[in-house]
Amino acid sequence: MIEQHICEENDIKEGEMKQFELGQGKVLITKTNGSISAVSAKCTHYGAPLVTGAYKDGKVRCPWHGACFNTVTGDIEDFPGLDSLHKYEVNIRNGKVFVRANEETFSDFRRVKPMQTCCSNDEIYLIIGGGCAAILCAETLRQEGFKGQVIMATQECHVPYDRTKLSKMLNAEAEKLYLRKEAFLKEKDIEIQFNKKACSVDSTKSTVSFSDGSVQQYTKLFVATGGQPRVLSIPGHDLQNIFYLRSPEDANKIHESSQGKDVVILGTGFIGMEIAAYLTGKAKSVTVVGSGQTKVPFGKLLGEEVGSRFMKMHMDKGVKFHLDQPVKEIKGTGGKVAGVVLHDDQVLPADVVLSGIGVVPSTGFMKDTNVQMNKYGHIIVDKFMKAGEGIYAGGDIVSYPYCHDNDCMINIGHWQLASAHGRVAAMNMLGKKTPCVTVPFFWTGQFGKSLRYAGHCSSFDEIVYEGDVEDMKFAAYYLREGKVHAIACMNMGAKASEVAFELQNGCFPCPEHLRVVSSSKHLSSHKVGEHNFFRYGVGIALFSVACVIIARKFNVFSTRNL
């Protein structure tokens, strides 16, 4: 143990956080309601320095990926990540702040919350799936004291792993992506069953049948099976060297097969674009083909200006684009891919084709149950992630009421959101009424550049920009009917995390305030569907103010009319 004088009591102001050296490590010091607290200084997700994050009301959000921690208890309260921060003892003597800590926590900065490990009743909580929603559900059940059996049945041969890294690190070994080791799960009395594909659910008998012929009884069920890649149906779809990305094995095969080859990527979503960035410099050529429905990548989500800048970044690195001609067929030689034929009959040379044209929910086995599904196959759940009597669902497969937009039903395939669903489902399976109130947060990394997005805006009619998109240092605020619903940022510090706090608290940024405050920071505005008229809104506003000042000076207006 080590105890050290850190600072003076008056060095920390209310609502402030600071980082200090303690022995061979660092601690984060905050003051909330007059009380000073100390926790470990790194985010438990990827180790980001929390002092550079956003702080509000005793909570700190990671600047990189938005994970949120309680700075009084150290507990993780929003995701991504599984573990909490270490909480350190604080003593104040004669106006001096002393912190006492175990030095081992500086190297092992992740704190695993205590879990119930003694099964003493016959209840069986069955989890179908092996992703982040599944592991969060399982661990939350144990953290909250559940004493029955917890069974996680996954069709994969791996324990839950960090799927977000697959498209960014195609050559990563599966074991290095694991969120937990199998021994850890065994220690916490979480049974994991591999290669278990669910075939059907009998909600009247409370049983699940699997493809291996086994049947599992359950008391309560959590379904988190995620999505599966949408399969090509065009001529040539069955040729060799056409790949889909879903597992570490898929990622490794794409990496190995693409070295020095002509690679064509179908789809301009985040998976396709991240893989394009990864393969640049490794493959002989990288070409991205769109559906012909958008002018630039991410146009519908991020707007044409941001999408165009991403596209330019890729083109500067040698990536080629064909976005106006969908694929007609894939040609082959000797049973292997040889070229991709566009709608205008242009042929793109290809040794490898990667299909990233979207996913479909893995929910077919639920069709004969008492749960309701929409036309896309998403399971409809309420704000407690409940789908039917004794059945809960979460992650990419659900449509749920988004509380920050009038409870509109949405489906989002975000890692962070799936994690939140898993925890919320577990709480409600235990009868602890807990609604899902998280603010969606996702990120992408391409060519060493990171974009962070907080909130949700399925459609927008205006984008307000702060900073310079061309310089890739900007914040883009997405508005619908005059209200900010989401933000996308690059090189803007913890701006996305700050806005996530505001959205969480219902304090939506005021567009007019954004324009005034940020007018000196190259802020502009673009009304979708108009000819950039509002890009000049700030200049017009400033010109109008100047006119009023001049008019006052020369008594053009009377005081009464002003």
Side-chain angles (χ1 to χ4, degrees), residues 378-560:
H378 299 132
I379 297 174
I380 297 175
V381 297
D382 61 17
K383 62 183 178 180
F384 305 110
M385 312 313 299
K386 187 174 183 178
E389 189 59 39
I391 300 178
Y392 297 77
D396 300 3
I397 64 171
V398 304
S399 176
Y400 82 103
Y402 182 48
C403 67
H404 303 295
D405 192 9
N406 299 315
D407 286 338
C408 68
M409 301 298 291
I410 64 172
N411 166 260
I412 307 177
H414 290 176
W415 185 256
Q416 168 270 337
L417 188 61
S419 300
H421 285 175
R423 174 166 176 75
V424 169
M427 296 297 286
N428 290 292
M429 290 168 76
L430 296 172
K432 302 179 180 182
K433 285 289 186 181
T434 306
C436 183
V437 296
T438 187
V439 172
F441 196 110
F442 75 85
W443 62 94
T444 183
Q446 300 170 35
F447 298 114
K449 304 291 184 180
S450 294
L451 177 137
R452 297 166 185 118
Y453 184 104
H456 174 70
C457 195
S458 56
S459 64
F460 48 84
D461 50 37
E462 183 180 4
I463 306 174
V464 177
Y465 297 93
E466 176 185 344
D468 193 324
V469 174
E470 181 61 28
D471 287 343
M472 304 193 84
K473 186 176 182 179
F474 68 89
Y477 298 86
Y478 298 90
L479 287 75
R480 186 175 67 248
E481 298 178 352
K483 184 177 181 180
V484 175
H485 288 269
I487 182 175
C489 299
M490 292 189 76
N491 295 311
M492 295 292 282
K495 180 75 72 174
S497 294
E498 292 169 0
V499 172
F501 269 138
E502 294 178 343
L503 296 175
Q504 183 95 49
N505 296 330
C507 304
F508 297 90
C510 173
E512 290 74 18
H513 177 70
L514 290 174
R515 295 187 180 98
V516 172
V517 171
S518 304
S519 61
S520 62
K521 301 178 182 178
H522 310 292
L523 180 140
S524 60
S525 174
H526 172 50
K527 280 281 190 177
V528 177
E530 299 185 6
H531 298 289
N532 295 339
F533 175 80
F534 282 93
R535 291 189 181 277
Y536 308 100
V538 173
I540 293 172
L542 293 175
F543 177 75
S544 300
V545 172
C547 289
V548 171
I549 293 173
I550 293 172
R552 286 177 181 268
K553 182 176 180 65
F554 292 99
N555 296 320
V556 175
F557 303 113
S558 69
T559 303
R560 179 175 58 193

Side-chain angles (χ1 to χ4, degrees), residues 138-185:
E139 291 199 8
T140 300
L141 290 173
R142 288 296 185 226
Q143 290 166 2
E144 295 296 318
F146 178 62
K147 295 182 179 181
Q149 293 185 59
V150 176
I151 301 174
M152 187 190 310
T154 173
Q155 69 178 58
E156 297 204 49
C157 58
H158 301 288
V159 295
Y161 55 87
D162 191 342
R163 196 181 299 277
T164 66
K165 290 185 177 179
L166 290 183
S167 54
K168 304 175 182 71
M169 300 170 57
L170 296 175
N171 63 340
E173 297 177 20
E175 290 76 10
K176 293 183 179 180
L177 302 178
Y178 287 176
L179 300 175
R180 298 295 196 199
K181 294 183 178 180
E182 189 174 355
F184 175 93
L185 299 177

Side-chain angles (χ1 to χ4, degrees), residues 128-270:
I128 305 178
C132 61
I135 189 65
L136 254 301
C137 180
E139 291 199 8
T140 300
L141 290 173
R142 288 296 185 226
Q143 290 166 2
E144 295 296 318
F146 178 62
K147 295 182 179 181
Q149 293 185 59
V150 176
I151 301 174
M152 187 190 310
T154 173
Q155 69 178 58
E156 297 204 49
C157 58
H158 301 288
V159 295
Y161 55 87
D162 191 342
R163 196 181 299 277
T164 66
K165 290 185 177 179
L166 290 183
S167 54
K168 304 175 182 71
M169 300 170 57
L170 296 175
N171 63 340
E173 297 177 20
E175 290 76 10
K176 293 183 179 180
L177 302 178
Y178 287 176
L179 300 175
R180 298 295 196 199
K181 294 183 178 180
E182 189 174 355
F184 175 93
L185 299 177
K186 185 176 181 179
E187 177 188 325
K188 306 304 180 185
D189 266 337
I190 297 172
E191 179 182 344
I192 184 165
Q193 300 177 358
F194 300 107
N195 302 308
K196 302 285 285 188
K197 183 178 180 180
C199 293
S200 63
V201 174
D202 188 329
S203 52
T204 58
K205 295 181 180 179
S206 297
T207 59
V208 176
S209 298
F210 295 94
S211 59
D212 61 4
S214 63
V215 178
Q216 177 64 56
Q217 190 82 32
Y218 68 83
T219 307
K220 290 184 181 178
L221 175 68
F222 178 57
V223 182
T225 43
Q228 55 192 356
R230 191 181 301 278
V231 178
L232 293 170
S233 58
I234 57 176
H237 67 88
D238 54 351
L239 290 167
Q240 294 181 39
N241 290 342
I242 295 177
F243 295 100
Y244 302 89
L245 179 62
R246 179 63 182 170
S247 68
E249 289 76 17
D250 295 334
N252 293 167
K253 287 179 182 178
I254 294 170
H255 168 81
E256 294 166 3
S257 302
S258 300
Q259 303 301 303
K261 305 293 185 180
D262 291 314
V263 179
V264 173
I265 298 172
L266 309 183
T268 59
F270 287 106

Side-chain angles (χ1 to χ4, degrees), residues 307-347:
S308 295
R309 187 63 188 88
F310 266 91
M311 184 172 171
K312 181 179 183 298
M313 178 174 64
H314 278 255
M315 293 176 67
D316 289 344
K317 298 292 185 178
V319 179
K320 300 175 183 177
F321 287 87
H322 293 271
L323 303 183
D324 57 347
Q325 293 287 336
V327 176
K328 185 177 181 179
E329 66 174 305
I330 300 175
K331 287 190 173 295
T333 300
K336 295 182 179 181
V337 168
V340 173
V341 184
L342 302 183
H343 194 68
D344 63 357
D345 292 327
Q346 179 181 357
V347 180

